[in-house]
C-alpha cells in the first residue's frame, strides 16, 4: 500500500500545475521576447531552435507543463489509496482565512472519495492530453506553443482547485477560474472571428448559470444565524452536510439553495437550455476540446451537483427537475448529433447527451452511478476527441463530408476511434456499456412517473447515439478519400494541408492508452464479481464511504441486453444508410425535410438567443429604452436643475440691494407673517 498523503503534498496536486502556469506565462514567455528576436537578428534566423524546429525555451514550456501535471497525477494516485485506507475520511483540517462578524471564512482541502476519484480523472486525462499536444501543436511558433501550455496548466490547476475545495467560497473562486481558462483556450486562435465569438459565447452563457450559483451561495451566507446556533459554518461543505442531517436545510430552503447550485451546473455542463455554447467551443484546439469535454469544464457541473448531493436529496422538487432536464438533454442533444457534419460537433453533442445521462442518474438518487459514468466517459470521450484531432492532422479538415478512406492510412487512429465509438454507444463489455447500463437501471428502478419518463428518453437517446457515432466512423474512415482540405468549396481549413499518414507517436501513444481504458476500465473499477485485488462493486462501495448514502445497482440481466439491442439497432441503421446505402440518407432527408432543417438549425436556439433575446429584446428594447430615458429624461432633468439654479441665483441676487431700509422691511414682514400664522392656527 502507498503511504498516506500529507497535507503539504496534497496542496502540491494544485500548486504544481499552477506553478507551471506562472513559470511559463511570466518567465519563459517574457524571455522569448528578449532572446529569440536577438538571435534572429544576429544570425538571420532563429538560432535558438533545435533540430526539430522548436527552440529550447519553447520546448521547455511543454516539458514543464507535462512534468507538473505528471507529478499531480502521481500524487492523486497516492491520495486515492490513502482515502481507501482511511475509509473515505478526510484527514485534513480547514485553516482560518478571515472573519466577518460571526462568519469565519476558511481555506482547506476536502479529501473524500469523490475528491480522489475526480483528481485521478482530471490529472490522468490532462496528462495524456498534454502529451498529445506536443505533436498536435507542433505547427505553432514558440510563443503560441508556450501560451498554449500556460493556459492548459492554468485550466488543469483551476479544475483541481475546484475539486479540492473544502468550502463553497473557495470552490466558487476556482469555478470562475475554470470559466476564465476555458475562455482563453476556446479563443486561443483569437485572430479568427469564429474563435473569438465562440470564446465570448461560452463565457457569457456560463455566466448566466454562475449567477444562479452565486445566489445560492448568498442564500447560505444570509442564513448563517441558523448555522451559528448549531455551531456550524454555512459556507463549509462538511457543515452543510451536517445541516441537512439536522434539518437546518430542508423543504423550501433546500429547494432554493439547490436551484441556485443546479443553475451553475446547467451552465457549465451545457444542459438545456444553456447548451448552445458547447458545440461552438470546438473552435479551440482539439486537445482543448478533449480536456473540456472529458475531464474539466463540463464535468465540473456534474461534480457540483454530486458535491452538494445531500442538499438536492432534501428537495424532491429539485430531484424531479434534474431528472427531467437530464433526460430531455440526453435526447435533445442526440437528435442534433444525427445530422452534424463536423466530427468535433458530433462529439460535442454526444458530450451534452452523456452529461444528460449523468444528471438523470443524480436525479433518481443514483449518486455513485452518475460518478461512475463520469469516470468512464472521461476516458472514451478524450479518446474520441483526440482521435478527431488525429484525422484532422491527416485530412486537414473536420468536415466528414470531405474525409473517407482514412482507415487504410491510419490504422491505429481508426482502431482507437472504433473502440471509443463502441464504448460511447454503450456496448458491453466496453467501459461505456457498464456505466450506461447502470444509469438506465437506476432510472428504471426509480419510483413514480418522472423517473419513467427519464428512462424512456435516455433509452431512445441510446439508439441515436449508436447511429450518429457510427455514421461519423463510416463517413470518416470508410469508402474513398474525398480530398480533405483540398476539396473545392471547403471552408475554414485555416491553411491546413493534407498529410495522409498516421499521426506521430506523441499523438498515437495517448490514443493507445485511452483505448485500453475505454475497453476495460469500467469492469475493472466496478466488477460484477470479486476480482481479488478489486472487490465486487468496488466503485460504488468506495463512494459510499463518503457523506452520501450509496445504493449499489445490480446488473440487470434483462434490461442490459435490451438497451444494448437498442444501441446496436442504431449502429445497423448507420451501416445501412452510409456503408451499404440500402437506405438513402438523401431521400430520407428530403422526405422529412422540415425535421432535417430543424435539426441542422439546432432548433433555432442560436437565433432565439442572439437575434430575438439579445438583439431585439435587450439591444432593440431594453437598451434603447434605457438610452432614451438617459437622453430624454435624465439629461433634461440635469439641464433643468442647471437652469433653475442659474435663474434662482439671478433672482436672489436682485434682492441684494445694499439698502438697509429694504432689509428692515423684509425682516418686519417676515416677523409679522410668522406671528400671524401662529395666531391663526392657535
Amino acid at each position: 500500500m502507498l503511504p498516506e498523503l500529507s497535507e503539504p503534498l496534497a496542496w502540491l496536486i494544485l500548486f504544481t500545475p499552477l506553478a507551471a502556469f506562472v513559470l511559463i506565462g511570466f518567465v519563459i514567455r517574457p524571455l522569448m521576447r528578449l532572446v529569440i528576436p536577438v538571435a534572429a537578428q544576429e544570425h538571420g534566423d532563429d538560432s535558438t531552435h533545435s533540430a526539430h524546429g522548436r527552440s529550447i525555451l519553447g520546448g521547455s514550456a511543454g516539458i514543464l507543463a507535462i512534468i507538473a501535471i505528471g507529478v499531480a497525477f502521481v500524487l492523486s494516485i497516492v491520495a486515492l489509496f490513502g482515502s481507501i485506507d482511511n475509509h473515505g475520511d478526510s484527514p485534513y483540517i480547514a485553516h482560518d482565512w478571515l472573519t466577518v462578524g460571526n462568519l469565519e471564512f476558511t481555506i482547506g482541502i476536502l479529501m473524500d472519495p469523490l475528491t480522489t476519484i475526480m483528481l485521478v480523472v482530471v490529472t490522468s486525462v490532462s496528462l495524456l492530453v498534454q502529451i498529445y499536444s506536443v505533436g498536435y501543436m507542433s505547427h505553432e511558433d514558440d510563443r503560441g506553443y508556450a501560451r498554449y501550455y500556460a493556459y492548459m496548466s492554468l485550466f488543469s490547476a483551476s479544475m483541481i482547485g475546484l475539486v479540492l475545495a473544502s468550502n463553497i467560497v473557495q470552490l466558487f473562486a476556482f469555478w470562475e477560474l475554470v470559466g476564465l481558462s476555458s475562455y482563453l483556450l476556446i479563443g486561443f486562435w483569437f485572430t479568427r472571428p469564429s474563435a473569438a465569438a465562440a470564446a465570448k459565447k461560452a463565457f457569457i452563457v456560463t455566466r448566466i448559470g454562475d449567477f444562479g450559483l452565486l445566489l445560492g451561495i448568498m442564500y447560505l451566507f444570509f442564513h448563517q444565524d441558523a448555522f451559528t446556533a448549531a455551531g456550524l459554518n454555512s459556507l463549509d461543505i462538511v457543515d452543510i452536510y451536517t445541516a441537512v442531517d439536522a434539518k437546518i436545510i430542508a423543504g423550501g430552503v433546500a429547494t432554493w439553495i439547490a436551484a441556485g447550485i443546479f443553475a451553475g451546473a446547467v451552465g457549465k455542463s451545457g444542459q438545456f437550455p444553456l447548451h448552445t455554447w458547447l458545440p461552438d467551443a470546438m473552435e479551440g484546439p482539439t486537445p482543448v476540446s478533449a480536456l473540456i469535454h472529458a475531464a474539466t469544464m463540463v464535468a465540473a457541473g456534474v461534480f457540483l451537483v454530486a458535491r452538494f448531493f445531500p442538499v438536492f436529496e432534501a428537495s424532491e422538487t429539485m430531484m424531479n427537475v434534474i431528472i427531467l432536464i437530464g433526460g430531455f438533454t440526453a435526447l435533445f442533444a442526440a437528435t442534433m448529433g444525427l445530422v452534424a457534419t463536423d466530427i468535433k460537433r458530433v462529439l460535442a453533442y454526444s458530450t451534452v447527451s452523456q452529461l444528460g445521462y449523468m444528471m438523470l442518474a443524480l436525479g433518481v438518487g443514483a449518486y455513485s452511478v452518475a460518478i461512475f459514468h463520469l469516470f468512464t466517459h472521461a476516458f472514451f470521450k478524450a479518446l474520441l476527441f483526440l482521435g478527431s484531432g488525429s484525422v484532422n492532422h491527416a485530412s486537414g479538415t473536420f468536415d466528414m463530408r470531405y474525409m473517407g478512406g482514412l482507415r487504410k492510412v491510419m490504422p491505429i487512429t481508426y482502431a482507437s476511434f472504433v473502440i471509443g465509438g463502441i464504448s460511447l454507444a454503450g456496448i458491453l463489455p466496453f467501459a461505456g456499456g457498464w456505466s450506461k447500463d447502470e444509469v438506465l437501471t437506476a432510472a428504471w428502478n426509480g419510483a413514480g412517473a418522472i423517473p419513467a419518463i427519464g428512462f424512456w428518453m435516455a433509452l431512445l437517446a441510446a439508439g441515436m447515439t449508436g447511429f450518429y457515432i457510427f455514421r461519423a466512423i463510416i463517413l470518416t474512415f470508410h469508402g474513398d478519400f474525398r480530398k480533405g482540405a483540398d476539396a473545392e468549396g471547403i471552408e475554414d481549413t485555416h491553411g491546413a494541408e493534407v498529410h495522409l499518414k498516421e499521426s506521430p507517436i506523441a499523438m498515437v501513444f495517448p490514443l493507445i492508452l485511452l483505448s485500453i481504458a475505454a475497453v476495460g476500465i469500467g469492469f475493472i473499477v466496478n466488477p460484477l464479481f470479486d476480482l481479488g485485488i478489486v472487490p465486487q462493486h468496488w466503485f460504488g462501495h468506495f463512494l459510499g464511504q463518503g457523506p452520501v448514502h450509496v445504493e449499489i445497482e445490480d446488473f440487470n440481466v434483462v434490461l442490459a441486453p435490451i438497451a444494448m439491442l437498442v444501441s446496436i439497432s442504431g449502429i445497423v441503421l448507420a451501416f445501412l444508410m452510409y456503408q451499404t446505402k440500402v437506405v438513402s440518407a438523401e431521400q430520407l432527408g428530403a422526405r422529412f425535410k422540415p425535421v432535417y432543417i430543424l435539426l441542422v438549425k439546432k432548433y433555432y436556439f442560436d437565433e432565439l438567443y442572439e437575434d430575438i433575446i439579445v438583439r431585439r429584446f435587450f439591444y432593440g428594447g431594453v437598451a434603447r429604452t434605457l438610452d432614451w430615458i438617459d437622453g430624454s429624461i435624465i439629461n433634461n432633468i440635469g439641464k433643468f436643475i442647471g437652469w433653475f439654479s442659474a435663474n434662482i441665483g439671478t433672482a436672489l441676487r436682485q434682492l441684494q440691494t445694499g439698502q438697509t431700509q429694504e432689509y428692515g422691511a423684509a425682516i418686519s414682514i417676515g416677523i409679522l407673517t410668522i406671528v400671524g400664522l401662529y395666531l391663526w392656527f392657535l
Side-chain angles (χ1 to χ4, degrees):
M1 281 293 181
L2 293 173
E4 181 180 312
L5 197 68
S6 64
E7 186 175 359
L9 289 178
W11 280 110
L12 276 182
I13 302 174
L14 167 64
F15 285 119
T16 47
L18 192 61
F21 161 71
V22 173
L23 289 173
I24 297 170
F26 298 98
V27 178
I28 293 177
R29 290 198 76 234
L31 283 175
M32 287 180 180
R33 297 190 186 98
L34 298 174
V35 176
I36 294 179
V38 172
Q41 290 173 6
E42 292 179 353
H43 301 278
D45 58 2
D46 192 350
S47 65
T48 62
H49 278 69
S50 68
H52 300 286
R54 179 69 63 203
S55 76
I56 297 173
L57 281 173
S60 67
I63 294 171
L64 180 61
I66 292 170
I67 291 174
I69 197 64
V71 171
F73 170 66
V74 173
L75 293 174
S76 297
I77 296 294
V78 177
L80 174 64
F81 281 96
S83 184
I84 295 171
D85 289 343
N86 289 330
H87 303 290
D89 294 331
S90 182
Y92 313 125
I93 60 172
H95 303 279
D96 293 337
W97 180 23
L98 58 91
T99 301
V100 180
N102 295 326
L103 185 62
E104 293 183 354
F105 290 87
T106 61
I107 188 167
I109 293 175
L110 177 57
M111 194 66 78
D112 64 356
L114 177 61
T115 300
T116 55
I117 291 291
M118 289 298 299
L119 284 176
V120 171
V121 170
V122 173
T123 56
S124 61
V125 174
S126 296
L127 176 61
L128 293 174
V129 166
Q130 294 193 27
I131 293 172
Y132 176 95
S133 299
V134 172
Y136 189 86
M137 300 299 290
S138 59
H139 63 281
E140 283 291 324
D141 62 29
D142 278 343
R143 292 178 185 174
Y145 188 79
R147 178 165 60 91
Y148 171 83
Y149 272 105
Y151 292 168
M152 288 290 276
S153 297
L154 178 62
F155 201 14
S156 299
S158 301
M159 188 64 193
I160 291 170
L162 189 159
V163 169
L164 289 172
S166 64
N167 69 83
I168 198 168
V169 175
Q170 183 183 342
L171 182 149
F172 185 74
F174 285 105
W175 180 271
E176 292 303 311
L177 276 177
V178 168
L180 173 63
S181 305
S182 67
Y183 169 79
L184 296 172
L185 283 167
I186 294 169
F188 179 79
W189 289 310
F190 54 85
T191 56
R192 302 177 187 173
S194 57
K200 288 188 290 184
K201 185 176 184 178
F203 192 79
I204 293 170
V205 173
T206 54
R207 291 291 76 70
I208 298 172
D210 293 355
F211 181 69
L213 174 58
L214 183 60
L215 289 178
I217 296 173
M218 292 175 64
Y219 197 93
L220 284 166
F221 178 83
F222 288 113
H223 284 74
Q224 173 60 28
D225 290 345
F227 283 77
T228 302
L232 303 173
N233 188 327
S234 65
L235 303 179
D236 187 88
I237 294 173
V238 175
D239 283 359
I240 292 173
Y241 297 156
T242 306
V244 173
D245 292 336
K247 305 299 181 183
I248 298 172
I249 297 178
V253 174
T255 299
W256 283 112
I257 296 172
I261 295 171
F262 186 61
V266 167
K268 279 288 195 291
S269 289
Q271 298 293 280
F272 177 88
L274 300 181
H275 63 281
T276 57
W277 70 269
L278 198 51
D280 290 353
M282 300 302 99
E283 289 292 335
T286 298
V288 173
S289 302
L291 197 55
I292 287 176
H293 287 253
T296 52
M297 188 167 177
V298 298
V302 177
F303 168 79
L304 185 68
V305 176
R307 173 58 82 203
F308 295 97
F309 189 71
V311 179
F312 287 89
E313 280 191 307
S315 173
E316 184 180 356
T317 301
M318 283 308 304
M319 294 292 279
N320 288 333
V321 169
I322 295 174
I323 293 172
L324 294 175
I325 293 291
F328 180 77
T329 302
L331 179 61
F332 176 76
T335 61
M336 291 183 284
L338 300 174
V339 299
T341 56
D342 185 300
I343 190 171
K344 286 176 66 176
R345 285 185 177 268
V346 173
L347 299 178
Y349 289 125
S350 79
T351 298
V352 177
S353 182
Q354 296 304 304
L355 290 166
Y357 277 92
M358 300 171 204
M359 289 296 185
L360 171 63
L362 288 168
V364 298
Y367 166 83
S368 67
V369 172
I371 303 304
F372 183 38
H373 195 50
L374 184 154
F375 182 81
T376 63
H377 175 265
F379 296 102
F380 67 72
K381 184 52 58 71
L383 172 61
L384 289 168
F385 266 108
L386 296 185
S388 72
S390 184
V391 299
N392 169 255
H393 191 267
S395 65
T397 181
F398 288 106
D399 196 325
M400 299 182 296
R401 294 171 296 180
Y402 304 100
M403 297 183 186
L406 295 180
R407 65 175 177 173
K408 302 172 186 176
V409 294
M410 307 182 75
I412 299 176
T413 299
Y414 172 65
S416 63
F417 205 93
V418 170
I419 289 171
I422 295 173
S423 191
L424 172 63
I427 307 299
L428 294 171
F430 290 72
W434 297 111
S435 56
K436 184 178 284 187
D437 172 68
E438 290 204 9
V439 173
L440 292 171
T441 300
W444 177 259
N445 293 336
I450 292 179
I453 293 171
F455 168 80
W456 288 110
M457 288 191 292
L459 185 63
L460 184 57
M464 294 182 181
T465 302
F467 174 85
Y468 66 64
I469 192 58
F470 273 84
R471 168 179 175 264
I473 291 171
I474 295 167
L475 289 175
T476 301
F477 295 99
H478 291 208
D480 297 322
F481 185 62
R482 295 180 290 276
K483 299 184 178 181
D486 295 335
E488 292 184 8
I490 190 171
E491 299 178 354
D492 206 29
T493 63
H494 312 296
E497 299 178 354
V498 176
H499 303 284
L500 291 181
K501 59 182 181 179
E502 188 62 87
S503 297
I505 186 65
M507 297 174 65
V508 170
F509 178 67
L511 294 180
I512 296 172
L513 292 182
L514 287 168
S515 295
I516 296 171
V519 173
I521 196 71
F523 184 79
I524 291 173
V525 303
N526 205 33
L528 298 179
F529 47 84
D530 198 331
L531 298 179
I533 299 176
V534 184
Q536 183 183 21
H537 298 306
W538 172 82
F539 195 93
H541 288 300
F542 176 58
L543 283 176
Q545 294 177 348
V548 179
H549 173 71
V550 171
E551 293 185 6
I552 306 299
E553 298 290 342
D554 292 325
F555 184 77
N556 194 316
V557 295
V558 176
L559 186 58
I562 293 174
M564 195 161 60
L565 185 62
V566 172
S567 295
I568 292 173
S569 65
I571 296 172
V572 171
L573 181 59
F575 270 94
L576 291 175
M577 291 180 65
Y578 295 97
Q579 182 70 33
T580 65
K581 299 186 178 179
V582 174
V583 180
S584 173
E586 290 77 13
Q587 291 181 4
L588 195 63
R591 180 173 294 182
F592 299 98
K593 189 174 181 179
V595 177
Y596 176 77
I597 294 174
L598 186 65
L599 297 179
V600 169
K601 292 293 186 179
K602 298 169 287 187
Y603 295 92
Y604 294 94
F605 267 89
D606 285 332
E607 287 79 4
L608 171 64
Y609 289 160
E610 296 176 17
D611 293 338
I612 296 177
I613 295 179
V614 175
R615 291 191 178 91
R616 297 186 184 182
F617 178 73
F618 282 105
Y619 289 169
V622 176
R624 286 190 178 181
T625 301
L626 293 176
D627 182 66
W628 179 84
I629 292 173
D630 181 62
S632 301
I633 298 178
I634 304 298
N635 286 351
N636 285 333
I637 291 174
K639 291 177 182 178
F640 172 76
I641 293 173
W643 174 87
F644 180 80
S645 300
N647 283 276
I648 196 69
T650 301
L652 292 174
R653 188 170 64 247
Q654 299 301 319
L655 297 176
Q656 305 303 313
T657 62
Q659 299 294 321
T660 305
Q661 299 90 333
E662 294 181 5
Y663 294 161
I667 293 171
S668 300
I669 293 170
I671 294 172
L672 290 173
T673 302
I674 294 171
V675 172
L677 290 172
Y678 175 78
L679 294 174
W680 177 269
F681 288 105
L682 185 62

